Short mmCIF file of all heavy atoms in Angstrom, two decimals:
data_model
loop_
_atom_site.label_atom_id
_atom_site.label_comp_id
_atom_site.label_asym_id
_atom_site.label_seq_id
_atom_site.Cartn_x
_atom_site.Cartn_y
_atom_site.Cartn_z
N GLU A 198 12.43 -8.69 7.06
CA GLU A 198 11.95 -7.58 7.88
C GLU A 198 10.54 -7.22 7.42
O GLU A 198 10.18 -7.42 6.27
CB GLU A 198 12.89 -6.37 7.82
CG GLU A 198 12.91 -5.61 6.55
CD GLU A 198 13.84 -4.40 6.63
OE1 GLU A 198 14.32 -4.03 7.72
OE2 GLU A 198 14.07 -3.80 5.57
N SER A 199 9.78 -6.68 8.34
CA SER A 199 8.42 -6.24 8.05
C SER A 199 8.40 -4.72 7.97
O SER A 199 9.01 -4.05 8.80
CB SER A 199 7.47 -6.69 9.16
OG SER A 199 7.38 -8.09 9.18
N LYS A 200 7.71 -4.23 6.95
CA LYS A 200 7.57 -2.79 6.77
C LYS A 200 6.09 -2.47 6.60
O LYS A 200 5.34 -3.28 6.06
CB LYS A 200 8.35 -2.32 5.55
CG LYS A 200 9.86 -2.51 5.70
CD LYS A 200 10.59 -1.92 4.54
CE LYS A 200 12.08 -2.02 4.74
NZ LYS A 200 12.83 -1.31 3.69
N THR A 201 5.70 -1.30 7.03
CA THR A 201 4.31 -0.87 6.94
C THR A 201 4.17 0.23 5.89
O THR A 201 4.97 1.17 5.88
CB THR A 201 3.83 -0.35 8.31
OG1 THR A 201 4.00 -1.38 9.28
CG2 THR A 201 2.37 0.05 8.26
N THR A 202 3.16 0.10 5.05
CA THR A 202 2.89 1.12 4.04
C THR A 202 2.10 2.26 4.67
O THR A 202 1.55 2.13 5.77
CB THR A 202 2.06 0.56 2.88
OG1 THR A 202 0.75 0.23 3.36
CG2 THR A 202 2.71 -0.66 2.25
N ASP A 203 2.03 3.36 3.94
CA ASP A 203 1.10 4.42 4.30
C ASP A 203 -0.32 3.90 4.07
O ASP A 203 -0.51 2.87 3.44
CB ASP A 203 1.34 5.65 3.44
CG ASP A 203 2.65 6.36 3.76
OD1 ASP A 203 3.13 6.24 4.90
OD2 ASP A 203 3.19 7.02 2.85
N SER A 204 -1.29 4.65 4.51
CA SER A 204 -2.69 4.30 4.26
C SER A 204 -3.12 4.85 2.90
O SER A 204 -2.60 5.86 2.44
CB SER A 204 -3.59 4.91 5.34
OG SER A 204 -3.31 4.33 6.59
N ILE A 205 -4.09 4.17 2.31
CA ILE A 205 -4.74 4.68 1.12
C ILE A 205 -6.23 4.79 1.39
O ILE A 205 -6.78 4.04 2.21
CB ILE A 205 -4.50 3.82 -0.15
CG1 ILE A 205 -4.93 2.37 0.07
CG2 ILE A 205 -3.08 3.93 -0.61
CD1 ILE A 205 -4.92 1.54 -1.20
N ASN A 206 -6.86 5.74 0.72
CA ASN A 206 -8.30 5.95 0.82
C ASN A 206 -8.90 5.66 -0.54
O ASN A 206 -8.63 6.39 -1.49
CB ASN A 206 -8.61 7.39 1.23
CG ASN A 206 -7.94 7.76 2.53
OD1 ASN A 206 -7.93 7.00 3.47
ND2 ASN A 206 -7.35 8.93 2.57
N VAL A 207 -9.70 4.61 -0.61
CA VAL A 207 -10.31 4.21 -1.88
C VAL A 207 -11.78 4.58 -1.84
O VAL A 207 -12.52 4.10 -0.98
CB VAL A 207 -10.14 2.69 -2.11
CG1 VAL A 207 -10.76 2.28 -3.44
CG2 VAL A 207 -8.68 2.29 -2.03
N PRO A 208 -12.23 5.45 -2.77
CA PRO A 208 -13.65 5.82 -2.75
C PRO A 208 -14.53 4.64 -3.16
O PRO A 208 -14.19 3.89 -4.07
CB PRO A 208 -13.73 6.95 -3.77
CG PRO A 208 -12.56 6.76 -4.66
CD PRO A 208 -11.49 6.10 -3.85
N LEU A 209 -15.64 4.50 -2.46
CA LEU A 209 -16.64 3.48 -2.80
C LEU A 209 -17.90 4.21 -3.25
O LEU A 209 -18.33 5.16 -2.61
CB LEU A 209 -16.94 2.58 -1.60
CG LEU A 209 -15.77 1.76 -1.06
CD1 LEU A 209 -16.23 0.87 0.10
CD2 LEU A 209 -15.11 0.92 -2.13
N PHE A 210 -18.44 3.74 -4.35
CA PHE A 210 -19.58 4.41 -4.96
C PHE A 210 -20.87 3.60 -4.78
O PHE A 210 -20.84 2.37 -4.82
CB PHE A 210 -19.34 4.61 -6.46
CG PHE A 210 -18.24 5.59 -6.75
CD1 PHE A 210 -16.92 5.18 -6.82
CD2 PHE A 210 -18.53 6.93 -6.94
CE1 PHE A 210 -15.90 6.09 -7.08
CE2 PHE A 210 -17.52 7.84 -7.21
CZ PHE A 210 -16.20 7.42 -7.28
N GLN A 211 -21.96 4.30 -4.59
CA GLN A 211 -23.29 3.72 -4.59
C GLN A 211 -24.18 4.66 -5.40
O GLN A 211 -24.19 5.87 -5.13
CB GLN A 211 -23.84 3.55 -3.17
CG GLN A 211 -23.16 2.45 -2.40
CD GLN A 211 -23.75 2.29 -1.00
OE1 GLN A 211 -24.26 3.24 -0.41
NE2 GLN A 211 -23.68 1.08 -0.48
N ASN A 212 -24.85 4.12 -6.39
CA ASN A 212 -25.73 4.91 -7.26
C ASN A 212 -25.01 6.10 -7.90
O ASN A 212 -25.57 7.19 -8.03
CB ASN A 212 -26.96 5.40 -6.50
CG ASN A 212 -27.74 4.26 -5.88
OD1 ASN A 212 -27.89 3.19 -6.49
ND2 ASN A 212 -28.23 4.45 -4.67
N GLY A 213 -23.75 5.90 -8.25
CA GLY A 213 -22.98 6.92 -8.94
C GLY A 213 -22.37 7.99 -8.07
O GLY A 213 -21.68 8.88 -8.56
N ASP A 214 -22.62 7.96 -6.77
CA ASP A 214 -22.06 8.95 -5.85
C ASP A 214 -21.10 8.28 -4.88
O ASP A 214 -21.25 7.10 -4.55
CB ASP A 214 -23.18 9.62 -5.04
CG ASP A 214 -24.10 10.47 -5.89
OD1 ASP A 214 -23.61 11.13 -6.83
OD2 ASP A 214 -25.33 10.44 -5.63
N VAL A 215 -20.14 9.06 -4.38
CA VAL A 215 -19.22 8.54 -3.36
C VAL A 215 -20.02 8.32 -2.08
O VAL A 215 -20.64 9.24 -1.55
CB VAL A 215 -18.04 9.50 -3.11
CG1 VAL A 215 -17.20 9.02 -1.94
CG2 VAL A 215 -17.19 9.66 -4.36
N ALA A 216 -20.02 7.08 -1.62
CA ALA A 216 -20.73 6.75 -0.39
C ALA A 216 -19.80 6.83 0.82
O ALA A 216 -20.24 7.05 1.94
CB ALA A 216 -21.31 5.35 -0.49
N GLY A 217 -18.51 6.64 0.56
CA GLY A 217 -17.53 6.64 1.64
C GLY A 217 -16.20 6.17 1.12
O GLY A 217 -15.99 6.09 -0.10
N TYR A 218 -15.33 5.85 2.05
CA TYR A 218 -13.96 5.48 1.68
C TYR A 218 -13.52 4.22 2.42
O TYR A 218 -13.78 4.08 3.62
CB TYR A 218 -13.00 6.62 2.01
CG TYR A 218 -13.32 7.87 1.24
CD1 TYR A 218 -14.25 8.79 1.73
CD2 TYR A 218 -12.75 8.11 0.00
CE1 TYR A 218 -14.57 9.93 1.02
CE2 TYR A 218 -13.07 9.25 -0.72
CZ TYR A 218 -13.98 10.14 -0.22
OH TYR A 218 -14.31 11.27 -0.94
N LEU A 219 -12.85 3.37 1.69
CA LEU A 219 -12.20 2.21 2.29
C LEU A 219 -10.78 2.67 2.63
O LEU A 219 -10.05 3.12 1.75
CB LEU A 219 -12.17 1.05 1.30
CG LEU A 219 -11.64 -0.26 1.82
CD1 LEU A 219 -12.48 -0.77 2.99
CD2 LEU A 219 -11.63 -1.30 0.72
N VAL A 220 -10.44 2.64 3.89
CA VAL A 220 -9.13 3.08 4.36
C VAL A 220 -8.35 1.84 4.76
O VAL A 220 -8.80 1.07 5.61
CB VAL A 220 -9.25 4.06 5.54
CG1 VAL A 220 -7.87 4.51 6.02
CG2 VAL A 220 -10.12 5.25 5.17
N THR A 221 -7.21 1.65 4.11
CA THR A 221 -6.44 0.44 4.37
C THR A 221 -4.95 0.71 4.28
O THR A 221 -4.52 1.64 3.60
CB THR A 221 -6.86 -0.69 3.40
OG1 THR A 221 -6.18 -1.90 3.75
CG2 THR A 221 -6.56 -0.34 1.96
N ASN A 222 -4.19 -0.07 5.00
CA ASN A 222 -2.75 -0.10 4.81
C ASN A 222 -2.25 -1.51 5.08
O ASN A 222 -2.99 -2.36 5.56
CB ASN A 222 -2.02 0.97 5.64
CG ASN A 222 -2.07 0.76 7.12
OD1 ASN A 222 -3.02 0.21 7.66
ND2 ASN A 222 -1.06 1.20 7.81
N PHE A 223 -1.01 -1.75 4.69
CA PHE A 223 -0.49 -3.10 4.64
C PHE A 223 0.86 -3.21 5.33
O PHE A 223 1.58 -2.22 5.49
CB PHE A 223 -0.30 -3.53 3.17
CG PHE A 223 -1.57 -3.41 2.37
CD1 PHE A 223 -1.89 -2.22 1.73
CD2 PHE A 223 -2.45 -4.46 2.28
CE1 PHE A 223 -3.06 -2.08 1.01
CE2 PHE A 223 -3.62 -4.34 1.56
CZ PHE A 223 -3.93 -3.15 0.93
N ILE A 224 1.18 -4.42 5.71
CA ILE A 224 2.51 -4.78 6.19
C ILE A 224 3.04 -5.77 5.17
O ILE A 224 2.32 -6.67 4.74
CB ILE A 224 2.46 -5.43 7.59
CG1 ILE A 224 1.90 -4.43 8.60
CG2 ILE A 224 3.84 -5.93 7.99
CD1 ILE A 224 1.60 -5.06 9.96
N TYR A 225 4.28 -5.59 4.76
CA TYR A 225 4.86 -6.55 3.83
C TYR A 225 6.19 -7.04 4.39
O TYR A 225 6.88 -6.34 5.12
CB TYR A 225 5.03 -5.98 2.43
CG TYR A 225 5.97 -4.80 2.30
CD1 TYR A 225 7.29 -5.00 1.92
CD2 TYR A 225 5.53 -3.51 2.53
CE1 TYR A 225 8.16 -3.92 1.79
CE2 TYR A 225 6.39 -2.43 2.39
CZ TYR A 225 7.70 -2.65 2.02
OH TYR A 225 8.55 -1.58 1.89
N ASN A 226 6.51 -8.28 4.04
CA ASN A 226 7.76 -8.91 4.47
C ASN A 226 8.69 -9.01 3.28
O ASN A 226 8.28 -9.47 2.20
CB ASN A 226 7.50 -10.30 5.05
CG ASN A 226 6.68 -10.25 6.32
OD1 ASN A 226 6.76 -9.28 7.08
ND2 ASN A 226 5.87 -11.25 6.55
N ILE A 227 9.93 -8.61 3.49
CA ILE A 227 10.93 -8.62 2.43
C ILE A 227 12.28 -8.99 3.04
O ILE A 227 12.56 -8.61 4.19
CB ILE A 227 10.98 -7.26 1.71
CG1 ILE A 227 11.89 -7.31 0.48
CG2 ILE A 227 11.38 -6.14 2.65
CD1 ILE A 227 11.76 -6.10 -0.43
N ASP A 228 13.08 -9.73 2.29
CA ASP A 228 14.44 -10.06 2.72
C ASP A 228 15.26 -8.77 2.68
O ASP A 228 15.21 -8.03 1.69
CB ASP A 228 15.03 -11.11 1.78
CG ASP A 228 16.38 -11.63 2.26
OD1 ASP A 228 17.20 -10.83 2.75
OD2 ASP A 228 16.64 -12.83 2.11
N VAL A 229 15.99 -8.49 3.74
CA VAL A 229 16.77 -7.26 3.83
C VAL A 229 17.73 -7.15 2.64
O VAL A 229 17.87 -6.07 2.06
CB VAL A 229 17.55 -7.20 5.17
CG1 VAL A 229 18.48 -6.01 5.21
CG2 VAL A 229 16.59 -7.18 6.34
N SER A 230 18.36 -8.24 2.25
CA SER A 230 19.30 -8.18 1.13
C SER A 230 18.58 -7.88 -0.18
O SER A 230 19.14 -7.23 -1.06
CB SER A 230 20.12 -9.47 1.01
OG SER A 230 19.28 -10.56 0.70
N ASP A 231 17.34 -8.32 -0.32
CA ASP A 231 16.56 -8.02 -1.53
C ASP A 231 16.18 -6.54 -1.58
O ASP A 231 16.17 -5.93 -2.65
CB ASP A 231 15.28 -8.86 -1.59
CG ASP A 231 15.54 -10.30 -2.00
OD1 ASP A 231 16.64 -10.58 -2.52
OD2 ASP A 231 14.64 -11.12 -1.81
N SER A 232 15.85 -5.97 -0.42
CA SER A 232 15.39 -4.58 -0.42
C SER A 232 16.49 -3.63 -0.89
O SER A 232 16.20 -2.58 -1.46
CB SER A 232 14.86 -4.18 0.95
OG SER A 232 15.88 -4.20 1.92
N THR A 233 17.74 -4.00 -0.68
CA THR A 233 18.84 -3.14 -1.13
C THR A 233 19.05 -3.20 -2.64
O THR A 233 19.70 -2.33 -3.21
CB THR A 233 20.16 -3.50 -0.42
OG1 THR A 233 20.50 -4.85 -0.75
CG2 THR A 233 20.04 -3.36 1.09
N LYS A 234 18.49 -4.20 -3.29
CA LYS A 234 18.63 -4.36 -4.74
C LYS A 234 17.61 -3.52 -5.52
O LYS A 234 17.75 -3.37 -6.72
CB LYS A 234 18.44 -5.83 -5.14
CG LYS A 234 19.45 -6.77 -4.54
CD LYS A 234 19.10 -8.21 -4.86
CE LYS A 234 19.96 -9.18 -4.09
NZ LYS A 234 19.53 -10.56 -4.28
N LEU A 235 16.60 -3.03 -4.84
CA LEU A 235 15.52 -2.31 -5.52
C LEU A 235 15.81 -0.83 -5.60
O LEU A 235 16.26 -0.21 -4.63
CB LEU A 235 14.21 -2.55 -4.76
CG LEU A 235 13.77 -4.00 -4.65
CD1 LEU A 235 12.56 -4.12 -3.73
CD2 LEU A 235 13.48 -4.59 -6.01
N SER A 236 15.53 -0.25 -6.76
CA SER A 236 15.77 1.18 -6.93
C SER A 236 14.62 2.03 -6.37
O SER A 236 14.80 3.21 -6.11
CB SER A 236 16.00 1.52 -8.40
OG SER A 236 14.88 1.14 -9.17
N LEU A 237 13.45 1.43 -6.22
CA LEU A 237 12.28 2.11 -5.65
C LEU A 237 11.72 1.26 -4.52
O LEU A 237 11.78 0.03 -4.58
CB LEU A 237 11.20 2.29 -6.71
CG LEU A 237 11.54 3.22 -7.88
CD1 LEU A 237 10.46 3.12 -8.96
CD2 LEU A 237 11.66 4.65 -7.39
N PRO A 238 11.15 1.90 -3.51
CA PRO A 238 10.57 1.12 -2.42
C PRO A 238 9.32 0.36 -2.89
O PRO A 238 8.53 0.91 -3.67
CB PRO A 238 10.21 2.17 -1.37
CG PRO A 238 10.09 3.44 -2.12
CD PRO A 238 11.01 3.34 -3.30
N PRO A 239 9.14 -0.87 -2.44
CA PRO A 239 7.97 -1.66 -2.85
C PRO A 239 6.64 -1.02 -2.44
O PRO A 239 5.62 -1.28 -3.07
CB PRO A 239 8.15 -2.99 -2.12
CG PRO A 239 9.58 -3.05 -1.76
CD PRO A 239 10.04 -1.63 -1.60
N ASP A 240 6.65 -0.16 -1.45
CA ASP A 240 5.42 0.47 -0.95
C ASP A 240 4.59 1.09 -2.07
O ASP A 240 3.37 0.95 -2.09
CB ASP A 240 5.73 1.57 0.07
CG ASP A 240 6.53 1.10 1.25
OD1 ASP A 240 7.55 0.42 1.05
OD2 ASP A 240 6.14 1.41 2.38
N ILE A 241 5.25 1.82 -2.96
CA ILE A 241 4.51 2.53 -3.99
C ILE A 241 3.79 1.56 -4.92
O ILE A 241 2.67 1.83 -5.36
CB ILE A 241 5.40 3.50 -4.79
CG1 ILE A 241 6.55 2.79 -5.47
CG2 ILE A 241 5.91 4.62 -3.90
CD1 ILE A 241 7.39 3.68 -6.39
N PHE A 242 4.39 0.41 -5.17
CA PHE A 242 3.75 -0.59 -6.02
C PHE A 242 2.63 -1.31 -5.28
O PHE A 242 1.59 -1.63 -5.85
CB PHE A 242 4.79 -1.59 -6.55
CG PHE A 242 5.86 -0.94 -7.38
CD1 PHE A 242 7.12 -0.75 -6.87
CD2 PHE A 242 5.59 -0.49 -8.66
CE1 PHE A 242 8.11 -0.14 -7.63
CE2 PHE A 242 6.56 0.12 -9.43
CZ PHE A 242 7.83 0.29 -8.91
N ILE A 243 2.85 -1.57 -3.99
CA ILE A 243 1.83 -2.24 -3.17
C ILE A 243 0.58 -1.37 -3.10
O ILE A 243 -0.54 -1.86 -3.33
CB ILE A 243 2.38 -2.55 -1.77
CG1 ILE A 243 3.46 -3.64 -1.85
CG2 ILE A 243 1.25 -2.96 -0.81
CD1 ILE A 243 4.25 -3.84 -0.58
N LEU A 244 0.75 -0.09 -2.83
CA LEU A 244 -0.40 0.81 -2.72
C LEU A 244 -1.09 1.00 -4.06
O LEU A 244 -2.32 1.07 -4.13
CB LEU A 244 0.02 2.14 -2.11
CG LEU A 244 0.52 2.06 -0.66
CD1 LEU A 244 0.97 3.43 -0.18
CD2 LEU A 244 -0.54 1.48 0.25
#
């Protein structure tokens, strides 16, 4: 199954100041039977 993560905002710096943000999110594929074995959702580790 495919699952979508939340978005993250990563600050990008130029000359020591925040110039802007890289905004990204991901889709990951996981076996349904594997996902039930995990105590925490993979999303937090992916982000």
Side-chain angles (χ1 to χ4, degrees):
E198 72 178 350
S199 295
K200 296 186 176 186
T201 303
T202 67
D203 290 334
S204 295
I205 56 171
N206 303 316
V207 181
L209 298 182
F210 292 87
Q211 288 181 332
N212 303 321
D214 294 322
V215 174
Y218 298 87
L219 186 60
V220 180
T221 185
N222 68 329
F223 304 88
I224 297 170
Y225 63 96
N226 295 329
I227 188 168
D228 187 321
V229 174
S230 65
D231 284 344
S232 65
T233 62
K234 298 174 189 174
L235 300 173
S236 59
L237 294 171
D240 302 50
I241 59 175
F242 299 105
I243 291 169
L244 295 177

